[in-house]
Amino acid sequence: VTSKPERLAALFPDIQACPGATLLAVQADVSQASEVAKVLALARALPHPIRGVLHVAGISIDVMLDDGLSSKDLQAVGGSKALGAWHLHEQTLAGGDPVEHFVVVSSVASLIGGRGRSAYCAANAHLDA
């Protein structure tokens, strides 16, 4: 699931080269459970089962806490990273997919975040937990 499907193949050429592997690039908002369900339905229609999930999400909104960081900002950043991972976990588990690898990519930002990146730090800390 990506906001830029055309870039996915260039980012992960090794996956495409694996025998029996399929790299599926679909534009969707993983913070929405219904969109994750649609993407998983597309993946389940392919000839191979879902054996791995690689969740690499990231949105950064640079706003200081005292400069007006809003709940909307937190939802935008945390939705893609933390909530997206949760939806993928819940739905692959409920769907009985034989997932062998479930990888979520966090960042050292959860420990030593940058100025104005509190929402991004929080989302990564959620994944770490």
Side-chain angles (χ1 to χ4, degrees), residues 102-127:
F102 193 100
V103 179
V104 293
V105 177
S106 180
S107 168
V108 71
S110 65
L111 300 173
I112 49 172
R115 181 174 172 82
R117 299 253 170 130
S118 54
Y120 185 71
C121 295
N124 282 290
H126 177 83
L127 289 182

Side-chain angles (χ1 to χ4, degrees), residues 22 24 27 32-33 51 55 81-82 96 98 112-113 121-122 124:
T22 302
L24 179 64
Q27 187 167 352
Q32 301 298 314
R51 296 214 180 267
H55 180 58
K81 207 163 199 43
I112 49 172
C121 295
N124 282 290

Side-chain angles (χ1 to χ4, degrees), residues 4-15:
K4 298 181 182 180
E6 66 281 356
R7 293 190 57 216
L8 194 62
L11 291 172
F12 301 104
D14 295 341
I15 292 174

Side-chain angles (χ1 to χ4, degrees), residues 56-113:
V56 184
I59 295 174
S60 182
I61 298 174
D62 296 341
V63 179
M64 297 295 290
L65 287 173
D66 59 350
D67 282 342
L69 182 69
S70 69
S71 61
K72 184 178 177 182
D73 296 333
L74 290 168
Q75 288 173 347
V77 176
S80 67
K81 207 163 199 43
L83 195 52
W86 184 249
H87 290 319
L88 287 163
H89 164 70
E90 277 191 320
Q91 292 186 32
T92 54
L93 191 62
D97 297 299
V99 175
E100 297 172 358
H101 308 285
F102 193 100
V103 179
V104 293
V105 177
S106 180
S107 168
V108 71
S110 65
L111 300 173
I112 49 172

